[in-house]
Amino acid sequence: MPDLGIVLSLLVIGVGLLWLLIRSLRGQEVERRVIFVFILVAVAAPILFPVTFQEHATPVVKRLFDFIDSLPAGSVVLVSLDYDPAMAPEVQPMTNAMSRHCLTKGHKIVFMGLWATGQSILMSTLQDIILPDFPNIVEGKDFVNVGYKAGNEGVLNVIVTDFKKMFPTDVNGTPLDSTPIMADIRSCRDFDLILSIGGGRPGAKEWVLFVGDPGNVPIGVGVAAVTAPQMYPYYPQQLVGILGGVKGAAEYESELAHRYPRFAHTDQPGLRMMGPQTLAHVVIMAFIVIGNLAFFRGKKVRRT
Amino acid sequence: MRRLIPLAITFVVGTVLIVSVFTPPLENIERTFTLFFDIIAVFAFFLGGGNLLRVHISKLRRRKQDWGFSVVTIVGFLGMLMIGLFKLGGSGNIAAPVDETGSLFYIIFDAVLVPLQSTMYSLLAFFVASASYRAFRAKNREATLLLIAAFVILLGRTPFGTMVSGWIPEWLSIAQIPNLAIWIMNSPNLAGQRAILIGIGLGVISMSLRLILGIERSYLGDDNA
Amino acid sequence: MDHFALWLAAFFTLGIYSFLYKDNPWYKLCEAIFVGISAGYWVVTLFWDNFHGKFWVHKFEDWWLWIGAALGVLMLMRLFPKIGWISRWALAFIVGATSGLWMMNYFSSNIMRQVQDAVLPLFGTGFEASFGAILANIVVAVGTIAGLVYFFFSKEHKGVFGGTARVGILFLMVTFGASFGYTVMGRMSLLIGRIDFLFSDWLGLIR
Amino acid sequence: MPLTCPTASGGSRSIRNLKPLQFIVCALLVVGSLGQVNAQSDSTILFDSAMNALAPVTSLLAADHKYDNGERIDLSWIPSIDDQPVNGKITGYGVYRLTNAGNPALIADLPSGSSTFSDDNVEPGSDYSYYIVARSAYESAVSVRTAPLSPQREWLNLNRGFLFLIAALISAAVIYFVQSAKRGKKLFVRKISGLEAIDDAVGRATEMGRPVLFIPGIHDMDDVQTLAALTILGRVSRTIADYDTKIFMPVARSLVMTAARETIKASYQAAGRPDAYSDDMVSYVTDEQFGYVAAVDGLMVREKPATVFLLGSFFAESLILAETGNSVGAIQIAGTARPAQLPFFIAACDFTLIGEELFAASAYLAGEPRQLGSLKGQDVGKAVAMVVIVVGALAATLGEAWDISFMQNIYHWLSSVFSSN
C-alpha cells in the first residue's frame, strides 16, 4: 500500500513537471503558487508514504563512525545535547544513532546539555531511545545523565579541568563519585571521546575552542546543515568527524544498519527525512532546469 | 547649540570607546555603555508600545477596514502585558522568573508563539524554491556561475550526486559531485566570504569615523549643510 | 489542555500557510494574534531582564546606572513637542557608542583576523601539501585578492584592474550560489518538521 | 596545559605520550631542570620523593598579569612529580594566599594536573604572597612561598600595539582624504548601480501613485548596520520629500522608530516641506522576528508598494520579505553585511548592496567631497590588506617550501602582527 502511494505521488510530480516543461517551452511563465504546490507534494508525499534512498557514508561521517567503532569496550563517551525542540527534527536522529552505536559497542555514556530549553530532550532521549532498545543497561554503570547547567562557555571552561565541580551529581541527585562510570573521571580530558550535537551557540564550535583544543580530547560533532560549513575548517585536525544536517544523520544511520543488522529495523528518522528532503531538492533542480530551458528557448525565438 | 551638543556627545562617547580598547583601566566601560543602552531601550518601549496601541486604537475608532483584527492585537498585547508584569497564573511566587515552566506566561509562549514562529520560519522552504526558479537563469556569465555553483551543491546534498558521478575514476575523485561540492564550499566560497568580510570591516571603520567626527549627520536633522 | 494546544497549533500552522495562496481573514487573524502577543511578550521580557534585572536590582550599589536611566528619560521627552529635541542627546549617545564599539570589533575580527588567516604557505611546509590542497590554496588567495579589487571605489574598473574586478565578482557569485544551494536543505527540514506535526501529531496519520 | 617534559632536542612533549623508560629519563630531566631553577629551596624535598614522602610543586612563580587594570596575578608551577596520569598520588592542589602578610587563606581548589592559576580577585596597592599545597589521600606537601607582589595597573595595552598602529593607519588615511577633498581635490568614485537606481525607484513609486516601503533590518540601534540603514534613509527620504511620494516604514525596535522619525523629519525640513511630515510614516510593530515578518508580509500584500528598500541587519526573514516584495511587483533595493543572507537578496532583489557597499552608500549618495574622501580612505585599507596578503603568502610559500629562513621570518612576523588582537 505505501508503495502504491509513493508511486502515485511520484507519478503526479513527474507528470506535473512534464506539463510545466511543455508550458514553459511554449513561453508561458509558471506562477509561484504552482511551485508552492509542487514543494508541498514533494515534501508531504514521502512523509505519508516513506521512501528511503541508499546512503553511503562520506569520509567526514565515516571517520567518526570508525573512531567510535574502534574504541575499546568500556570507553567513556560524553554526549552533549546542545539544542532545543525547534532544532530537534534535524539533529535528534544523530543523537539517537550515535548513542545506539556507543551502547552497542559497550561504551559508557555521560549525557549532558548546555541549553536550558533542551532539558526535556535529554529526558525523552533516554526514555524513548536508550531504555527500550537496551533493556539490560544500568543507570550509573552504563550511562549517566548529569543534566543541564547554565553558563554556556563558562560551563565548558570549568569542566575542561574539573567536571564534578560543575556537575557534582546526576539529575536524580546521586553523587557522581558514587557512580562506577564517573569514579575515574576528573575532567573532560578523561573522556575517550566527546560528542556535541546541536547547531547554535553554545555548540560544536565552543566545544572545540574551549574543550577540544585546550584539553586535547577527541571531539566529534553533529550539527544543523546551516552550521556545517562553519565546522569544516576544524576538520580533520580538531574534529574527528562531522555529521552535517539530515544527510549526515542518514549516512550514519545507514552505516550503523549496515554493520549492525539489528538496527536495520529500528526507526531511522534521518533516512526517513532524506526522502522528502531529496524529493524537494529534485523538484527544485527540475524547476531550475525548466526555467533555463524556457529562458534559452525564449532567447532563440526572439532572435529568429 | 541644539546641533552642537549631540555632535559633541557622539564624538566623546565614540572616542572613549575606541581608546578603551587600548587602555586597561577603561576596559569595563564597554560593559557599562552596553548596560546604558539596554536601559534606554526599555524607556524607548513606552514610545514603541504606545505607538502600537495608538495605531490600532485609531483604526478601531475610525472603524477602518479590518478594525476587528486591531481589537485582537490590542487585547493580545495588553493581556500578555498584564500576565507578565503581574506574573499572573504562575506558581504565585513573585520572585520566580516570569517565564518559569508552568507559568501562564510560559504556557502562552509555548502554545501560541512557538507554533507561529516555526510555521513562519518554515515558509522559507517555499520561498527558497520560488526564488531559485526565478533567479537561477543563465542570463550572463555571473548568473551562470551562480547557477552552476548552486546546482552542484544541491546535487551534492542528494544521493543522486554520488550516482551521477560514481563512474569518475579515483584519481579524479575531486570531480565527483559530493567532493566537488565540498571543494566549492572550502575554496572559492571561502575566498569570496573573506573578501566580503574584509570589505565590511573597512566599511564599518569608515562609516564610524564619519559619524564620530560629525561628517555624517543626516540622522540628526542636518542635510550635510 | 494538551488537546487544545494541539488544535491551536494546527490552527495557526494552517492559517499562516493559507497566506501562500493569498491574503485572507484567517491569516490576518493569525497575524493580529502574533503581533499583539509577541509585542506584549517582549515588553515583559525587556522589563524584567533589562529594567528590573540590570537597573532596579542594582540601583543603589551602582550609582552610574542612573545615567542610563536619565538618558532613557531624555528619550521620553519626544512625547512633548516643545522639548522633543532633547531626545537627540540620548540618540547621539547611542550612535557614538555603537560606532565606537563596533569600529574596533569589526576591525579586529574582520580585518586583522581575516588577513592573518589569508597569509599561509600555498605549497605547505616542504611541499608536503597534496595537489588538491595547493590548488585550493591558490584559488583562495587569488579569489580573495580579486574580490577585494571588486570593492575598490576610487578606481575605475578598466584594463587589468577591471579584469581583476570582474574575476572578483565571479568569485562572489560562486560564493552566493554555493551558500544558497547549501541552505536549501536546512530550510526543507523546517517544512518537514511542520508537515510531520500536522500528519502525525495532529491528524495521527502516521503511526 | 599538559605536563611537559624537556627533551634532548630542546623541545618538550606531553608526558602522556611517553613510554615507561622514556618516562624515567624524563622524570630525571625534570628533576635536573628544577634543580637548576630553584636549587636552594627544593632539592632536598625533591630527592626525598624518590623515597616515599609526597613531593610538593616546584618552580612556583607569581607574576603580575601584563597589560591589565591591575586586577590579576598569574601563578604557574611545575606539578608535583607524584602527579601522574596513571597511579598518581596527588588528588588536588590548594592555592593559599597571604594578603599584606596577613593570615593565609585558601583561595582555590584545583584538580590534579593543574599547573597554572589566575587570581583575579586582587587590587593594586596590596601585597600578595602565595603557596600551594599538594594533597594526596593521606598527606600533603607545602611549596615555597612566593615573594610579596603587588599587581600593576598599566595604562596602555602594549599587546595591542600593532592593532593600534594598523587601525591608526587606516583611520589616518580616511581622515587625510576627507581633508584633502575638503580643500577641493577632485576624487573619482566608481558607479554603484544599486545606488544609481534609487532615484528611478522612488520616481517610479511617484508615477504609479504607490508608496515606498523602507525596512531597516530587524536589529536595534546597537548594530552598525542599522546605523548604515538610517544614514541611507536620510538621503532616500530627502528624495521622497522632493518627489512628494508616500513612505511607510514598519520597524521592529522602538529605538529605531524614534531615530527613523527624527531622520525623516529632518529630511522633510531640509526639503522645505516640514508640514508634509507625519509621525505615522514610521510605526513600531513588534520585537519578535517572525511576528514582525508576518505583519510586514501582510502590509506588502495590502499596500502594494512600488519600491521596497531592505537595508540593514537581516536573518532568516530576508528571503521571506524579498519574495513577498517581488510577488507584489515592487522594485527592490537590498543590502546587508550579513554574508549568510546576501545570496537570498542577490536572488530575489533587483539591486543588492554587498557588505561594504551598504556602509559606503550614504557617503556616495551625499556626493559631498568630504564624504567621498572617506571612501577613498577605505580603499587604502583594502590596498594594505592586499599587499600584506600577497607579500605574506609569497614569503610563506617560498619560506616553507624551500626552507628559506629570511622568508620564514617575514611570514612569522606578519602572522604575529596580525594576531595582535
Side-chain angles (χ1 to χ4, degrees), chain B residues 36 39-40 43, chain C residues 51 55 64-74:
Chain B
F36 286 1
I39 295 169
I40 298 174
F43 280 91
Chain C
F51 187 77
F55 173 63
W64 63 83
L65 289 176
W66 286 93
I67 303 176
L71 285 169
V73 172
L74 287 188

Side-chain angles (χ1 to χ4, degrees), chain B residues 8-57:
Chain B
I9 294 178
T10 306
F11 177 77
V12 171
V13 171
T15 315
V16 165
L17 274 172
I18 293 174
V19 169
S20 76
V21 173
F22 305 102
T23 319
L26 288 180
E27 248 162 24
N28 288 329
I29 208 151
E30 177 185 324
R31 277 231 325 275
T32 311
F33 279 18
T34 314
L35 269 180
F36 286 1
F37 179 86
D38 289 342
I39 295 169
I40 298 174
V42 180
F43 280 91
F45 218 101
F46 279 98
L47 303 172
N51 177 254
L52 183 74
L53 279 180
R54 210 174 53 83
V55 167
H56 287 284
I57 288 174

Side-chain angles (χ1 to χ4, degrees), chain B:
Chain B
M1 269 310 261
R2 282 193 187 183
R3 199 150 288 158
L4 195 66
I5 293 178
L7 283 178
I9 294 178
T10 306
F11 177 77
V12 171
V13 171
T15 315
V16 165
L17 274 172
I18 293 174
V19 169
S20 76
V21 173
F22 305 102
T23 319
L26 288 180
E27 248 162 24
N28 288 329
I29 208 151
E30 177 185 324
R31 277 231 325 275
T32 311
F33 279 18
T34 314
L35 269 180
F36 286 1
F37 179 86
D38 289 342
I39 295 169
I40 298 174
V42 180
F43 280 91
F45 218 101
F46 279 98
L47 303 172
N51 177 254
L52 183 74
L53 279 180
R54 210 174 53 83
V55 167
H56 287 284
I57 288 174
S58 89
K59 247 191 189 174
L60 175 65
R61 264 219 209 110
R62 293 190 214 147
R63 292 285 187 279
K64 271 198 183 167
Q65 205 195 342
D66 290 339
W67 60 270
F69 298 110
S70 289
V71 178
V72 176
T73 305
I74 296 170
V75 170
F77 179 65
L78 292 179
M80 202 64 176
L81 211 61
M82 294 301 138
I83 292 169
L85 292 184
F86 300 110
K87 299 191 177 169
L88 303 177
S91 53
N93 176 9
I94 198 71
V98 62
D99 52 354
E100 68 170 334
T101 328
S103 67
L104 191 53
F105 191 72
Y106 179 82
I107 290 172
I108 295 180
F109 171 76
D110 213 40
V112 177
L113 291 184
V114 168
L116 278 169
Q117 281 168 347
S118 42
T119 310
M120 207 61 211
Y121 196 178
S122 73
L123 282 184
L124 263 177
F126 296 103
F127 290 135
V128 154
S130 65
S132 34
Y133 171 66
R134 219 161 15 84
F136 292 152
R137 300 206 175 161
K139 283 173 248 172
N140 49 39
R141 215 166 27 167
E142 286 84 16
T144 312
L145 269 174
L146 187 78
L147 165 73
I148 293 173
F151 207 82
V152 169
I153 302 282
L154 275 173
L155 206 55
R157 301 299 290 170
T158 63
F160 297 104
T162 327
M163 273 185 230
V164 174
S165 57
W167 55 271
I168 295 177
E170 199 47 43
W171 61 271
L172 210 67
S173 63
I174 182 78
Q176 288 173 1
I177 298 286
N179 296 336
L180 193 61
I182 293 175
W183 186 82
I184 291 180
M185 288 311 290
N186 286 346
S187 305
N189 176 52
L190 180 66
Q193 300 278 11
R194 193 166 278 162
I196 293 173
L197 287 178
I198 295 177
I200 288 171
L202 290 163
V204 171
I205 291 184
S206 169
M207 188 189 73
S208 299
L209 282 174
R210 286 200 303 271
L211 285 168
I212 291 171
L213 298 176
I215 299 171
E216 172 74 73
R217 46 177 92 164
S218 57
Y219 70 102
L220 276 181
D222 184 330
D223 196 40
N224 67 61

Side-chain angles (χ1 to χ4, degrees), chain D residues 214-299:
Chain D
F214 195 105
I215 310 280
I218 60 160
H219 261 178
D220 212 333
M221 292 288 286
D222 56 352
D223 186 320
V224 268
Q225 299 179 61
T226 313
L227 291 191
L230 287 179
T231 57
I232 301 173
L233 175 69
R235 317 285 169 208
V236 172
S237 57
R238 176 64 201 267
T239 316
I240 287 172
D242 285 340
Y243 283 29
D244 198 13
T245 316
K246 229 182 108 200
I247 179 174
F248 69 106
M249 186 170 170
V251 296
R253 307 282 163 169
S254 307
L255 272 175
V256 179
M257 179 187 83
T258 315
R261 282 181 175 171
E262 203 69 45
T263 309
I264 298 181
K265 196 171 168 185
S267 298
Y268 272 79
Q269 263 160 3
R273 318 182 53 243
D275 45 311
Y277 167 79
S278 138
D279 268 356
D280 293 338
M281 289 172 175
V282 189
S283 58
Y284 166 81
V285 182
T286 167
D287 275 51
E288 155 64 41
Q289 181 187 15
F290 289 108
Y292 175 69
V293 176
V296 174
D297 261 13
L299 268 174

Side-chain angles (χ1 to χ4, degrees), chain C residues 34-79:
Chain C
F34 202 171
V35 168
I37 292 200
S38 67
Y41 175 86
W42 275 93
V43 185
V44 170
T45 312
L46 276 182
F47 175 79
W48 288 113
D49 285 0
N50 287 2
F51 187 77
H52 185 260
K54 291 180 182 164
F55 173 63
W56 200 248
V57 174
H58 307 285
K59 62 185 179 297
F60 294 124
E61 72 250 44
D62 297 340
W63 59 267
W64 63 83
L65 289 176
W66 286 93
I67 303 176
L71 285 169
V73 172
L74 287 188
M75 205 74 205
L76 289 183
M77 293 299 131
R78 290 244 354 155
L79 292 172

